Amino acid sequence: MISTNLREQSSLMARMLHLVDCLLVVGYLWVLVTWYRVPWSEHYTRLAVISFCLSLFFFQSFQLYRSWRGWKFYQEFYVIIKAWATVIGILLFYFFIFKISIAYSRLVFLIWSLSTPLLIFLVHATARRVLRYYRQRGRNIRRAVIAGAGDLGISLAKELETIPWAGIEIMGFFDDKIAEEPELTAMGKPVLGEIAKLPDYLATNDIDYVYIALPMRAERKIFMILRECRSLGSRIYLVPDLYLYGLHHAELQSLGKMLILNFNPHTEWKRSFDVVFSLLVIILGMPVLALIALLIKVEDRGPIIYRHKRITAAGKEFDCLKFRTMRVGADRELQELLEKHPHLRAEWQQTYKLKNDPRITRIGRLLRRTSLDELPQFFNVLKGEMSVVGARPIVGGELQYYKDSAGRYCSMKPGITGPWQVSKRSNIEDYQERVNLDDWYILNYSLWTDIKIILRTVYIMFKGNGAY
């Protein structure tokens, strides 16, 4: 049976957008030639025709006009760049074979080659904004069902509720539990029947998407859906139950002919950012570093740097560097304090900090209040032991409080700053709240998130709230 209800495949807007893109390629070339007063010749006419034909073919070949519901903008831009790079590559080959590159203005061709993807993306982004506007108001809606009403299916339904601009309406669930509970519902949506009834439902109803949200152990049911439902006019997607464990950054990779999942977060960009940012801070902050070192040395003649063991990626320990803010021998004093003062022992067991710690020096109190005591940690970043932004650096004993999320914590390097440092900081009394903040960052980190946290950190440093 030919799919007839996947409207995005044959929608008038997709066809029009395809035509607009191809005309934009040619029209923009004409504008640049005219702007730079280059005589229009038959060579440019030939280039325009070839470019139009190549764009017509390759833009469609790269699935540029697929449904982008729920996708991020940068993902569409990446596909645009790949499609356009293919067109430009063929044109360069054409110039080389026929030795006609001299017939064209190099400046015009360079500007046209580099800026056309931006113009195409601008058109697509505008179209997506318009579609989002209408979808949020109940127009241009796609209908979907979910095979599986368990935790994974409910998590998927909740996620779709957070992105109403995607325009996907869940009509209901299919689950074998209905045999035990005939009136079963999930997320306020009905369970329409057992999974075996899904093909009959698709044959009589106009459904655009089928999401398989079944555990991997239910392979027979999954194969049945794939075997019997792929010809019934609906797109079928498998939602791996790995997401139940919060593995949002798992990446599918190949190892020879085998597919493997990489559970190590993609942090190459993060490392580059860390190195550049840390070098800038150290170079520009050298006078401040020298002044702080001098003040610490003058106060009690003790060491300038304090090293304490913390956990980094894969659970390895490293020496986390800080400017010393306590008296020499403060580690030995701690045990005596906790034994003599039960209220201090209770506070330490809860937060691993003391709000009014008598061991802190005068300069140390100022450094802690402004968080300047953590400046040496930028050297830890350069050594690859920490990141500028990340979860809190914790001692080995604290890992027990992370319980099920301990593995996620050990998947990334801790940060000098992070969501904990820019919230209530040490005023957070519930340790689980700290764990939740670290967990949130590990599952949601991005370059823009890091930049926002850094800017917020600068503000907090001057304000000084929650630091002790």
Side-chain angles (χ1 to χ4, degrees):
M1 174 185 273
I2 297 176
S3 174
T4 58
N5 66 331
L6 287 175
R7 293 174 290 241
E8 67 269 22
Q9 293 299 305
S10 57
S11 69
L12 179 62
M13 182 170 183
R15 295 177 181 176
M16 289 180 60
L17 191 58
H18 191 185
L19 181 60
V20 167
D21 288 346
C22 296
L23 292 175
L24 177 63
V25 167
V26 175
Y28 185 45
L29 175 63
W30 178 83
V31 169
L32 289 175
V33 171
T34 303
W35 179 265
Y36 286 100
R37 298 180 180 180
V38 177
W40 186 275
S41 64
E42 62 178 8
H43 292 287
Y44 282 103
T45 301
R46 194 177 297 119
L47 176 62
V49 172
I50 295 174
S51 300
F52 183 90
C53 295
L54 290 175
S55 299
L56 195 66
F57 176 76
F58 284 107
F59 287 179
Q60 185 67 45
S61 298
F62 278 85
Q63 300 183 40
L64 196 52
Y65 307 100
R66 74 184 80 170
S67 173
W68 292 98
R69 294 169 183 264
W71 292 71
K72 299 294 180 64
F73 277 98
Y74 76 86
Q75 293 170 313
E76 184 175 5
F77 184 51
Y78 177 62
V79 176
I80 291 173
I81 290 177
K82 288 199 300 182
W84 181 245
T86 303
V87 172
I88 291 299
I90 294 175
L91 289 176
L92 290 174
F93 182 73
Y94 163 70
F95 292 164
F96 174 77
I97 290 296
F98 293 97
K99 310 293 183 182
I100 56 172
S101 60
I102 195 172
Y104 301 100
S105 167
R106 293 183 180 180
L107 178 61
V108 168
F109 187 81
L110 181 63
I111 296 175
W112 181 64
S113 301
L114 295 179
S115 56
T116 295
L118 297 175
L119 291 178
I120 294 175
F121 176 70
L122 183 61
V123 172
H124 283 226
T126 302
R128 288 181 68 175
R129 287 292 185 187
V130 171
L131 283 174
R132 286 187 176 191
Y133 175 82
Y134 283 108
R135 287 168 185 165
Q136 287 179 318
R137 285 154 180 78
R139 305 281 296 277
N140 191 240
I141 298 298
R142 299 292 181 264
R143 305 200 303 170
V145 294
I146 299 176
D151 292 339
L152 184 59
I154 291 174
S155 297
L156 173 62
K158 288 180 179 178
E159 185 67 23
L160 288 172
E161 280 192 348
T162 66
I163 51 173
W165 45 264
I168 300 175
E169 180 183 1
I170 300 298
M171 306 307 297
F173 295 80
F174 282 84
D175 199 291
D176 291 340
K177 294 178 184 176
I178 197 170
E180 304 171 4
E181 304 176 55
E183 303 299 323
L184 185 64
T185 61
M187 288 291 294
K189 300 289 185 179
V191 177
L192 301 168
E194 296 180 356
I195 292 175
K197 300 294 185 182
L198 178 58
D200 294 336
Y201 182 86
L202 296 178
T204 56
N205 292 272
D206 190 22
I207 299 297
D208 297 291
Y209 305 133
V210 174
Y211 294 103
I212 302 175
L214 296 170
M216 290 301 182
R217 63 180 179 273
E219 66 272 9
R220 290 186 179 180
K221 296 177 183 178
I222 294 172
F223 289 150
M224 184 278 294
I225 295 173
L226 294 175
R227 183 178 63 253
E228 300 186 19
C229 299
R230 296 180 77 176
S231 62
L232 298 177
S234 300
R235 283 185 178 271
I236 300 178
Y237 297 92
L238 175 65
V239 184
D241 58 355
L242 294 169
Y243 287 100
L244 284 177
Y245 303 99
L247 300 174
H248 290 61
H249 292 292
E251 181 183 13
L252 190 64
Q253 296 180 346
S254 61
L255 185 64
K257 295 181 179 179
M258 300 293 292
L259 291 177
I260 61 174
L261 275 172
N262 175 14
F263 294 135
N264 307 291
H266 178 71
T267 55
E268 283 77 5
W269 64 265
K270 196 170 177 63
R271 179 58 184 159
S272 301
F273 176 81
D274 287 344
V275 171
V276 173
F277 189 86
S278 298
L279 284 174
L280 287 174
V281 170
I282 291 173
I283 293 171
L284 297 178
M286 194 61 71
V288 176
L289 292 168
L291 177 61
I292 293 174
L294 178 63
L295 292 174
I296 294 173
K297 200 68 177 177
V298 167
E299 184 169 21
D300 61 7
R301 305 295 179 182
I304 296 170
I305 298 295
Y306 174 71
R307 302 170 185 268
H308 51 131
K309 296 292 183 181
R310 290 292 187 267
I311 294 177
T312 185
K316 297 179 181 179
E317 285 192 335
F318 72 102
D319 289 326
C320 188
L321 306 178
K322 295 180 72 172
F323 280 125
R324 183 174 59 85
T325 57
M326 293 187 179
R327 296 192 295 261
V328 177
D331 290 338
R332 295 189 299 272
E333 291 183 41
L334 176 62
Q335 192 61 36
E336 298 177 8
L337 280 172
L338 299 184
E339 289 176 358
K340 292 180 180 178
H341 305 282
H343 68 284
L344 294 181
R345 182 168 64 251
E347 182 183 354
W348 178 264
Q349 291 174 347
Q350 183 177 11
T351 64
Y352 283 83
K353 280 181 175 285
L354 298 177
K355 192 166 187 176
N356 297 304
D357 199 321
R359 300 171 298 161
I360 299 177
T361 62
R362 288 177 299 173
I363 184 62
R365 198 166 299 280
L366 173 64
L367 293 177
R368 287 195 171 199
R369 185 167 182 79
T370 57
S371 297
L372 291 175
D373 60 319
E374 297 177 356
L375 283 177
Q377 290 175 14
F378 284 104
F379 291 100
N380 287 119
V381 174
L382 291 180
K383 291 171 65 178
E385 297 165 334
M386 295 182 68
S387 287
V388 175
V389 183
R392 296 175 309 112
I394 62 172
V395 299
E398 292 180 80
L399 199 59
Q400 61 180 313
Y401 297 106
Y402 284 74
K403 300 177 182 177
D404 293 339
S405 61
R408 281 199 292 273
Y409 179 90
C410 292
S411 70
M412 293 183 69
K413 301 170 187 175
I416 297 176
T417 186
W420 174 75
Q421 289 90 333
V422 298
S423 55
K424 292 182 289 185
R425 305 172 85 183
S426 297
N427 287 334
I428 296 177
E429 297 181 358
D430 184 3
Y431 196 92
Q432 185 58 42
E433 189 175 349
R434 300 184 183 189
V435 173
N436 293 340
L437 286 171
D438 289 342
D439 224 20
W440 176 88
Y441 177 80
I442 294 168
L443 296 176
N444 297 278
Y445 73 92
S446 67
L447 177 59
W448 177 234
T449 300
D450 283 10
I451 292 173
K452 288 193 292 185
I453 289 176
I454 290 171
L455 294 176
R456 178 71 177 163
T457 301
V458 175
Y459 170 75
I460 292 293
M461 285 177 62
F462 285 103
K463 195 173 180 181
N465 287 354
Y468 53 84

